[in-house]
Amino acid sequence: AFGVFSTGRLRAARCRFGAAGRILPVTQPEHLDVLIVGAGLSGIGAACRLEQDLPGKSYAILEARDAIGGTWDLFRYPGVRSDSDLHTLGYRFKPWTGENAIVDGDEVRDYICETAAEYGVDRSVRFGLRVTGANWSSEDSLWHVDASPVGGGDPVSFTCSWLFCASGYFRYDRGYLPEFEGSDRFSGPIVHPQAWPEDLDYEGKKVVIIGSGATAVTLLPALAGQAAHVTMLQRSPTYIVSVPRKDAVANMLNRLLPEQAAFAITRRKNIWRQQFVFRLSKSRPELVKRFLRWSLKQQLPEDFDIDRHFTPSYDPWDQRLCAVPSGDLFKSLSRGESSVVTDRIASFSESGINLESGEHLDADIIVTATGLELLAFGGISLSVDGIEADLPRKIAYKGAMLSDIPNFAYALGNYNVSLTLKVGLVIDYVCRLIAYMDRCGYKKCTPSHPDPSVGTNPMLEFGAGYVNRSVHLFPLQAGGASWEMSMDLARDERSLGAEITADGALEFERAAVRAA
């Protein structure tokens, strides 16, 4: 009976037990009510909400890698950590009660895995499957989804009523690496943090980190304890602020109140603080600049050139503010274990880096913390009735769906607060939308922008280099409350919490009537 199926085909297609207990190969694509792409923070959160809000729905999570955790399982460089407190980065339904608010990457990963096991969604993850394409068929009101086994083998097919993309917007197989003249001449290892070797020995070595973003400021203090010296080489400065690793208020509330109450108060407090800092940065940038500079002066040696190394040319929150827990970066600089150089690279040499100023930085190891590459919706090719969707021409609806693409939703957070806050609102909205469609007998829901002539802007309006390099690959946003990518969480709460049909932008259809 199984002669026509290879072992890989059987494993990929899965097997069902017949009434008599016989194992029967599945010859038709497996059908699910909801198919989730990605088993990271967003994908696991979406599955948990389905378990809570729509327990009768069938679902699966397709994950290209072999582990739960997404970004937090992928990045393994020294010191990797969250730059948002876990009271807001974590799930609303899963209180964080740890003593530290800013935690290491493995603690975030453990938190995600613990949540997946607690809600039983870990049993629904299909590892080693990369979604390559999805076509919406109006004939049967279903998505037809193709996935390829990462380790090789025959493609696997699924059908689903809803497709939820929780793959984020980073490319996971490689980071951004600009070309450096003479890099082939350097005698030591050149390492990108996204592919950090487990056996890299940096003890007693001179390390140069190229970059000034969150990864660079995380690596510097983590390496400085063992390396002979660590230099952060930056082309231009970034705003960096010290935040407490422990949340004193949260820890006090945990001792005085029930777990859920303490968590809810802490979460709301931290949301308010994040939004307050962002709004103040936009309304009073000079005031925020003065405060940040004053804060640096309290933590750095008197002769440190703050204006050169830590005063960017842009205003705070024009790009993301880098947070360092308990000022570990500044402590390392003050102890002389590390240093910052602001200059441009002329070329690599056998023993380090030649700078345009004429100086030379000696290095045994060079770390290229030069950023990430973006990938729209995990690189999935979306089409409707066989016609490929032109994603850069689609318009984002409520930061959750796309114009003219039925029964498709995605998870992208706001850059000015913990990403899970916006993603959680999107997940709740999608669950309400599915429930509404079930009540009304609808099978298809499509956002329709009323006026194609309305001016548009990039979906991701953020000054970071990694965004500017790839923003043209993403959809657009347009005028009108429902079609703007708001960075205001309170506004998102109102928009995504409104009645499903309040703005009239969604078109609903029942199952297609087939001709005899």
Side-chain angles (χ1 to χ4, degrees):
F2 303 136
V4 297
F5 287 89
S6 68
T7 302
R9 178 68 173 176
L10 278 171
R11 186 167 54 247
R14 302 183 67 195
C15 295
R16 306 290 190 195
F17 284 93
R22 295 179 296 116
I23 300 178
L24 302 174
V26 177
T27 57
Q28 297 296 324
E30 181 180 1
H31 176 73
L32 299 150
D33 293 318
V34 182
L35 193 61
I36 301 169
V37 182
L41 192 61
S42 300
I44 295 299
C48 291
R49 295 305 296 177
L50 283 173
E51 287 281 352
Q52 293 173 299
D53 296 352
L54 301 170
K57 294 294 182 182
S58 62
Y59 68 90
I61 308 170
L62 303 189
E63 170 56 52
R65 305 180 69 254
D66 59 1
I68 289 172
T71 297
W72 300 106
D73 182 73
L74 172 68
F75 292 145
R76 299 297 182 97
Y77 57 82
V80 60
R81 65 195 178 211
S82 66
D83 59 355
S84 300
D85 66 277
L86 209 56
H87 299 99
T88 55
L89 185 65
Y91 304 118
R92 185 182 71 244
F93 53 86
K94 172 69 172 174
W96 171 251
T97 58
E99 185 178 2
N100 290 333
I102 305 294
V103 302
D104 294 337
D106 58 353
E107 292 182 81
V108 182
R109 183 179 67 251
D110 291 347
Y111 170 83
I112 299 170
C113 292
E114 181 182 310
T115 305
E118 181 177 325
Y119 284 84
V121 304
D122 53 343
R123 298 189 297 267
S124 298
V125 183
R126 318 285 178 82
F127 296 105
L129 288 177
R130 174 174 286 112
V131 178
T132 56
N135 175 62
W136 171 265
S137 170
S138 295
E139 182 180 1
D140 52 15
S141 297
L142 293 175
W143 281 102
H144 294 252
V145 181
D146 297 320
S148 297
V150 174
D154 294 331
V156 186
S157 297
F158 300 85
T159 62
C160 60
S161 301
W162 271 85
L163 181 62
F164 186 82
C165 185
S167 59
Y169 44 64
F170 291 133
R171 182 167 188 159
Y172 287 101
D173 58 346
R174 68 168 187 254
Y176 174 67
L177 184 62
E179 292 187 10
F180 294 111
E181 183 181 345
S183 59
D184 57 331
R185 296 198 299 266
F186 181 63
S187 60
I190 300 174
V191 178
H192 195 286
Q194 195 163 330
W196 191 272
E198 291 185 8
D199 58 351
L200 182 66
D201 179 17
Y202 53 87
E203 186 172 358
K205 305 289 181 62
K206 295 178 182 178
V207 181
V208 173
I209 303 170
I210 302 174
S212 61
T215 302
V217 303
T218 296
L219 273 167
L220 186 145
L223 300 179
Q226 298 182 46
H229 191 80
V230 181
T231 303
M232 185 172 81
L233 171 60
Q234 59 182 15
R235 183 173 56 184
S236 58
T238 298
Y239 284 113
I240 303 175
V241 61
S242 177
V243 296
R245 186 179 288 272
K246 300 178 187 296
D247 188 325
V249 173
N251 292 338
M252 178 190 69
L253 292 174
N254 284 335
R255 293 191 296 269
L256 298 176
L257 299 175
E259 181 182 273
Q260 189 64 48
F263 176 70
I265 294 172
T266 300
R267 185 177 174 90
R268 181 51 58 183
K269 168 186 72 73
N270 291 354
I271 290 172
W272 179 87
R273 184 190 63 200
Q274 292 173 12
Q275 292 183 298
F276 172 78
V277 172
F278 178 77
R279 290 168 180 166
L280 188 64
S281 298
K282 292 299 184 181
S283 62
R284 302 286 299 279
E286 294 304 320
L287 176 64
V288 175
K289 285 181 185 179
R290 289 197 298 270
F291 170 78
L292 293 173
R293 193 180 190 284
W294 172 85
S295 177
L296 292 172
K297 284 183 68 68
Q298 313 310 307
Q299 302 175 79
L300 290 167
E302 288 187 10
D303 60 347
F304 192 91
D305 194 344
I306 293 174
D307 292 331
R308 176 172 176 78
H309 300 309
F310 288 128
T311 305
S313 58
Y314 55 86
D315 288 338
W317 273 116
D318 284 354
Q319 296 186 27
R320 189 174 174 87
L321 213 63
C322 280
V324 293
S326 301
D328 58 0
L329 171 72
F330 308 126
K331 291 174 182 176
S332 176
L333 294 171
S334 299
R335 289 193 294 262
E337 303 169 340
S338 56
S339 56
V340 178
V341 173
T342 304
D343 207 331
R344 291 179 175 269
I345 296 173
S347 65
F348 282 27
S349 70
E350 184 177 345
S351 59
I353 299 176
N354 297 315
L355 304 176
E356 289 187 356
S357 64
E359 296 184 21
H360 182 271
L361 290 179
D362 293 334
D364 301 307
I365 300 171
I366 295 176
V367 179
T368 54
T370 46
L372 304 166
E373 288 193 11
L374 299 190
L375 187 64
F377 308 116
I380 302 171
S381 175
L382 296 174
S383 58
V384 177
D385 293 327
I387 301 174
E388 186 173 357
D390 188 359
L391 290 179
R393 291 182 177 273
K394 299 301 178 185
I395 302 175
Y397 174 71
K398 293 195 175 187
M401 301 175 69
L402 296 178
S403 62
D404 304 321
I405 298 184
N407 293 29
F408 174 79
Y410 57 88
L412 290 181
N414 293 343
Y415 69 83
N416 60 339
V417 293
S418 297
L419 70 89
T420 322
L421 298 173
K422 171 67 174 287
V423 170
L425 296 175
V426 169
I427 293 169
D428 290 348
Y429 172 78
V430 172
C431 288
R432 288 198 303 117
L433 177 55
I434 293 174
Y436 171 82
M437 292 174 65
D438 286 348
R439 290 195 306 270
C440 298
Y442 294 125
K443 298 296 183 182
K444 178 181 178 182
C445 171
T446 311
S448 178
H449 192 270
D451 186 0
S453 66
V454 171
T456 57
N457 293 308
M459 181 181 184
L460 304 174
E461 288 191 299
F462 188 37
Y466 65 87
V467 173
N468 293 334
R469 287 192 298 268
S470 307
V471 69
H472 62 284
L473 303 175
F474 284 76
L476 303 167
Q477 61 174 312
S482 296
W483 302 95
E484 291 179 351
M485 289 293 291
S486 167
M487 291 298 140
D488 186 328
L489 191 65
R491 180 176 168 183
D492 289 333
E493 289 175 339
R494 293 191 298 271
S495 175
L496 290 164
E499 290 292 331
I500 296 298
T501 58
D503 60 6
L506 297 178
E507 295 181 353
F508 295 95
E509 295 180 27
R510 293 179 170 82
V513 179
R514 299 186 183 183

